Amino acid sequence: MMQKLLTFLAVTLLLAGCTKDGDTIYKPDPNEEAASTAPLVTVIYDAEALGDHSYNDLIYEGVERTALALGLRTMQLSPRTYEEGLQYLELLFRQMETANDSVRRLLIVTSPGYDDFIRKNNRRLEANPNADLLYLETRTPLEGKGSTLFITYYGAMYEGGRIEAAVERTNTLLVGANRQTPAITEALQGYSDGFEAGLQLLTEKQARQNHLSTTYLDETGAGGFSVADTTALRLLRQWRNDRITSIIPVCGGASNTFARLINSTLEDVVIAGIDIYYDNYFSSYSIVKHIDRAVAGSIEQWLTDGAMPKHQSLGLAEDYTEVMLNPVNSINIWVPVGYEGDTQPTLTPEMKQEMHEEAVRKEEEHEK
């Protein structure tokens, strides 16, 4: 990806280069294939974010599918460091604001990690009517040029917690990346609220046998989105010794590490898929964020309507998040009050729908 950026910048600088007398260095070959004028979508991620099998990879796939369907060019950049990401942004803004061709360009920034730069520089793109900006994961619209998109995870996480509270004798651990990232803390709060609401519907005896606790991979900083195998294995063994029965990993790419190790070493712990659907025997449900679909829709709006909404907030009610049950595994729950069957019931579609509707209402209240 870095090579693609360097090639892109080298061509840009070469075409703009002149001698001291003002003569253009580069003279086009009449037999050379003309440069493409197809719209260009450029995406910049957090440092080393791609390859997480989660949120960032979903964006990548959504952009590429949309580009293939609509005939767009793409450039997707995953810098090695935050500082390198800022350098990329500065070079891209400079190129976009000074371009004097008719090529339409859309820059997608996937994370609020670059918030300060974006809000200080987005007006620079007003110099080019063919340049636009989409900034993800922020509730605060931009002043000046650019659109924002936020997918709230509260409702889907609430629904997940609500389901988990009904499971018979569960000892559940919420694993957050860190305390500094608002999207993480909001997701954990939603799950905790749903779990607490579910406990209120159990008998006192049942509720005493269900537990929820929270831990963070990075207790002081803003990391925790990746974890070494050795560290993850040590944590899993520790959690198993603590009699944890279910893990909810809200920690980006680290979630995939835990899932992979559970699949290969631990058969007595289940794990929820987060952001993506995890189709595995060791997962009863996944809490999915359809960021790929949201980004694809925004690109289509930009290309066909000429502009995107100034700000969009999407969530459970709009089906951009959801809780997906693994059909391989039934979820055994406590006997509900009034249940008259002879055997322990499982979570039925009707029960799931009731929990979903409750979560939609709770998310609407939360957003207000």
Side-chain angles (χ1 to χ4, degrees):
M1 290 183 182
M2 181 180 294
Q3 185 60 46
K4 289 178 71 177
L5 176 65
L6 293 176
T7 301
F8 166 77
L9 295 174
V11 171
T12 301
L13 293 173
L14 183 61
L15 290 175
C18 298
T19 67
K20 65 180 180 180
D21 298 320
D23 299 323
T24 302
I25 294 175
Y26 176 71
K27 183 177 180 180
D29 183 341
N31 298 317
E32 186 177 282
E33 183 179 351
S36 174
T37 58
L40 173 64
V41 177
T42 302
V43 189
I44 185 161
Y45 298 86
D46 274 337
E48 298 186 334
L50 281 180
D52 64 353
H53 299 277
S54 186
Y55 169 84
N56 294 287
D57 284 9
L58 283 174
I59 294 174
Y60 182 94
E61 293 167 7
V63 169
E64 292 302 319
R65 284 198 305 267
T66 306
L68 183 63
L70 301 179
L72 310 176
R73 293 177 294 155
T74 66
M75 183 164 59
Q76 306 218 38
L77 310 171
S78 185
R80 293 171 297 182
T81 65
Y82 171 74
E83 290 72 23
E84 188 171 76
L86 290 177
Q87 293 175 356
Y88 283 3
L89 280 171
E90 174 56 36
L91 290 168
L92 290 166
F93 268 68
R94 191 181 307 166
Q95 195 277 336
M96 291 175 72
E97 69 180 324
T98 59
N100 56 11
D101 54 34
S102 60
V103 174
R104 297 190 63 190
R105 294 174 171 86
L106 173 63
L107 173 61
I108 301 176
V109 180
T110 64
S111 162
Y114 301 113
D115 187 83
D116 188 58
F117 180 94
I118 294 300
R119 296 189 186 278
K120 287 181 178 178
N121 290 275
N122 64 301
R123 289 187 181 276
R124 292 166 58 182
L125 300 184
E126 294 172 357
N128 182 357
N130 295 312
D132 214 335
L133 170 68
L134 176 61
Y135 178 26
L136 306 181
E137 295 301 314
T138 177
R139 291 181 182 275
T140 308
L142 293 169
E143 294 183 6
K145 194 162 192 177
S147 299
T148 49
L149 172 65
F150 183 79
I151 295 186
T152 176
Y153 222 7
Y154 181 91
M157 293 297 292
Y158 183 100
E159 184 177 336
R162 180 68 180 77
I163 291 172
E164 189 71 27
V167 175
E168 184 180 14
R169 296 183 182 86
T170 182
N171 189 12
T172 305
L173 180 65
L174 269 173
V175 183
N178 60 71
R179 303 174 187 269
Q180 312 301 323
T181 303
I184 297 294
T185 56
E186 180 178 15
L188 267 58
Q189 186 63 55
Y191 196 93
S192 299
D193 291 347
F195 192 91
E196 182 63 29
L199 289 184
Q200 305 306 313
L201 301 178
L202 302 180
T203 67
E204 183 178 348
K205 182 178 179 181
Q206 291 171 343
R208 284 201 303 268
Q209 298 183 66
N210 282 12
H211 304 278
L212 177 67
S213 53
T214 302
T215 190
Y216 295 90
L217 297 181
D218 185 348
E219 285 286 354
T220 58
F225 293 100
S226 62
V227 63
D229 280 17
T230 52
T231 301
L233 189 58
R234 174 180 58 79
L235 290 171
L236 287 171
R237 287 170 176 165
Q238 173 188 324
W239 298 336
R240 183 173 57 177
N241 290 337
D242 293 337
R243 301 185 183 279
I244 297 298
T245 59
S246 183
I247 298 172
I248 315 299
V250 191
C251 45
S255 303
N256 181 62
T257 304
F258 289 124
R260 175 168 48 81
L261 291 174
I262 286 175
N263 188 39
S264 61
T265 63
L266 299 171
E267 299 184 3
D268 53 352
V269 178
V270 297
I271 185 168
I274 300 295
D275 288 344
I276 61 172
Y277 176 66
Y278 183 47
D279 183 12
N280 190 279
Y281 176 78
F282 299 101
S283 176
S284 298
Y285 60 86
S286 299
I287 306 174
V288 180
K289 179 182 286 190
H290 296 294
I291 185 64
D292 52 340
R293 202 167 70 206
V295 169
S298 294
I299 294 174
E300 291 174 6
Q301 289 175 318
W302 168 72
L303 189 66
T304 59
D305 299 339
M308 297 167 288
K310 187 64 177 174
H311 179 76
Q312 296 183 82
S313 183
L314 306 170
L316 196 61
E318 296 82 16
D319 295 326
Y320 281 93
T321 62
E322 67 174 312
V323 177
M324 300 177 65
L325 303 183
N326 189 336
V328 175
N329 298 319
S330 60
I331 300 178
N332 294 325
I333 64 173
W334 288 109
V335 177
V337 176
Y339 181 78
E340 297 178 354
D342 296 326
T343 60
Q344 171 65 47
T346 59
L347 181 68
T348 65
E350 292 76 18
M351 294 174 183
K352 169 69 164 58
Q353 182 61 28
E354 289 178 5
M355 294 178 183
H356 174 74
E357 292 173 359
E358 176 186 341
V360 169
R361 292 193 301 271
K362 293 295 183 180
E363 183 169 85
E364 291 174 350
E365 294 172 6
H366 175 76
E367 289 301 297
K368 290 178 181 178

